[in-house]
Amino acid sequence: MAPLDGTAIPAPARLGPRPLPLHLAAPMMLYASSLSALPILKGVWNSSNTPDGRSSDNRSAGAGPEWADALSAMMTSAPFAMASAFPESKLPAMQTIAAQCELADLVASIDLEFRGQLGQMLDGILSYHHHGYRRDLTDPPAVWRQGSTSLHRYAPPGSGMPVLIVPSLVNKSYILDLNSQGSFCRSLAAQGLVPYLVDWGEPGTEEAEFGLTEYVVRLHAMLDAVEDENGRGGPVAMVGYCMGGLLALPLAIERQDRIGKLVLMATPWDFHSGKAPGPNASRMLVSACEPALSLFGKLPVDCVQAMFAAIDPLNAFRKFQYFARLDPASAKANRFVALEDWLNDGVSLTARVARETLGGWYAENRTAGLKWDVGGDTVNPADFHGETLVVIPKSDRIVPPESALAITELLEDVRLLRPALGHIGMMSGRRAVELWDRVTRFLQA
């Protein structure tokens, strides 16, 4: 509703990248640690005990190859983490500076470089906050609702095979229906399927004590609703995205007389494989989250976002520098803002879900150890006998491909797709459409 004076209502302020203080602190910590290492670096460089036997007085005349290699190695390893902030192409110039400049000049050079890059990051964040893009799709009306959870249908019932699509509990479901330029749900609908997208919503009073089992129970109710709309004569397909794949699996096992096909997209299984944090780090994370869980009864959004940021602490530093260089009117800029809006529009986790996932999955690896149970029943992929398509993006930095591959060894009838995409990229962008077409062909075969 517009104000009485006819002025336009300003667009809602953007948040992000969340948590913003953490994303700003990461490059500052890198900068401080790099400066603190410089006296050591310069001291080693000027040492008279040089590898090639020349005196330190001759160092400014030019560094030998051994020194160049040694300095490059030092600058690309902790605590000499300068390569994380500075492009690799600038390392030779920095080597020369380190060889020929006084320490004060070296500090000034790095300070100038860092200020420029930090300024570019801040320019990118401001440009993002004021960007004109807004999501241009309206969610279909809910055909089922319970508590904060709703179910949305994207095609007329009975017009094709129904597909129940299960997203993660961590982020909003509209990554699967991002905008008019790219929507996984609408792509399936355009090719004759009847997609139903689960929207878990922000946990409310009714979900305050929910664990994973209670969410799977809701999936059972949603499957009943899908069958009621489409008739119970034909099968229903299921698609699980990320954590949603783990929630879909126990339902598929228990109701496999009704589930025709299962698609697991970037679904983790072995939480101790690949580059995943080890059990000790995961236990420390659980302990660190416990005060928030006890105080709020849930894991707040910014805590969840901080855990994702820990995967690559300097990711925001780099990507907002990149965004600052984009033409704000370009398709790339719009796609960046669309994804960033979704990333910052997170959902908190109930305390029980946080403890079951961080403790049971990440710390104890109860999934791969076949010790994870839902409602008292152990979840074993081998118990599902239907056709399964497992999609594992090669460039996934959130779910290590090794973690997702582990489930393929247990499934009875499995097909594997390894697209050259990322975890989020397979739900956005032009190349994602090719993957969606292949998923559609599998479901319709």
Side-chain angles (χ1 to χ4, degrees), residues 102-372:
E102 296 295 331
L103 179 59
D105 296 331
L106 181 57
V107 170
S109 297
I110 291 181
D111 181 75
L112 183 63
E113 174 71 21
F114 178 78
R115 286 173 184 270
Q117 293 202 28
L118 182 62
Q120 195 171 42
M121 176 199 186
L122 296 177
D123 288 342
I125 292 174
L126 287 174
S127 179
Y128 163 65
H129 284 178
H130 294 93
H131 198 275
Y133 169 88
R134 292 295 184 273
R135 183 169 176 250
D136 56 1
L137 293 179
T138 302
D139 297 333
V143 299
W144 178 95
R145 188 181 298 276
Q146 190 174 100
S148 66
T149 306
S150 56
L151 185 66
H152 302 264
R153 172 169 38 79
Y154 285 80
S159 60
M161 183 174 65
V163 183
L164 182 58
I165 303 174
V166 187
S168 170
L169 290 170
V170 175
N171 287 101
K172 296 285 182 68
S173 61
Y174 65 85
I175 184 62
L176 300 155
D177 185 31
L178 190 59
N179 54 33
S180 58
Q181 286 73 49
S183 166
F184 176 67
C185 291
R186 294 169 201 259
S187 174
L188 298 186
Q191 299 186 68
L193 298 169
V194 184
Y196 287 80
L197 177 60
V198 176
D199 181 0
W200 294 115
E202 175 71 24
T205 304
E206 190 172 332
E207 295 82 24
E209 301 299 324
F210 267 33
L212 296 171
T213 294
E214 286 73 23
Y215 280 109
V216 174
V217 168
R218 281 201 172 165
L219 280 178
H220 279 271
M222 284 183 269
L223 177 59
D224 290 338
V226 170
E227 290 189 317
D228 288 342
E229 282 209 337
N230 293 270
R232 294 179 176 265
V236 176
M238 287 191 72
V239 175
Y241 174 52
C242 190
M243 178 186 183
L246 289 175
L247 297 174
L249 188 58
L251 174 65
I253 292 171
E254 187 170 343
R255 303 283 293 275
Q256 58 187 298
D257 59 321
R258 308 300 308 135
I259 301 298
K261 293 184 179 182
L262 176 65
V263 180
L264 302 176
M265 306 184 76
T267 297
W269 183 253
D270 184 352
F271 286 84
H272 289 175
S273 65
K275 296 182 179 180
N280 291 334
S282 298
R283 292 187 186 98
M284 291 174 62
L285 182 59
V286 174
S287 299
C289 292
E290 196 57 45
L293 298 179
S294 301
L295 178 62
F296 301 111
K298 60 183 180 180
L299 190 63
V301 174
D302 282 330
C303 291
V304 176
Q305 297 290 70
M307 289 189 293
F308 282 114
I311 297 174
D312 183 359
L314 291 170
N315 181 49
F317 183 51
R318 292 190 299 269
K319 73 179 182 179
F320 279 95
Q321 289 182 59
Y322 163 78
F323 183 64
R325 297 190 294 268
L326 290 180
D327 175 2
S330 67
K332 286 184 177 180
N334 285 336
R335 186 160 53 247
F336 180 99
V337 175
L339 291 175
E340 198 64 27
D341 282 353
W342 172 76
L343 285 169
N344 292 303
D345 190 16
V347 179
S348 59
L349 297 177
T350 68
R352 279 186 60 200
V353 167
R355 292 184 180 111
E356 288 179 51
T357 53
L358 298 178
W361 289 354
Y362 281 92
E364 300 176 20
N365 202 18
R366 297 180 69 84
T367 48
L370 299 181
K371 295 179 181 179
W372 176 43

Side-chain angles (χ1 to χ4, degrees), residues 374-393:
V374 171
D377 296 323
T378 300
V379 180
N380 185 347
D383 293 333
F384 180 70
H385 307 299
E387 292 179 81
T388 306
L389 174 66
V390 176
V391 181
I392 304 176

Side-chain angles (χ1 to χ4, degrees), residues 32-63:
S33 64
S34 296
L35 286 186
S36 66
L38 284 179
I40 305 172
L41 184 65
K42 189 66 176 176
V44 171
W45 184 273
N46 287 333
S47 170
S48 59
N49 188 20
T50 56
D52 57 8
R54 291 185 290 167
S55 73
S56 58
D57 295 337
N58 295 325
R59 297 312 305 164
S60 60

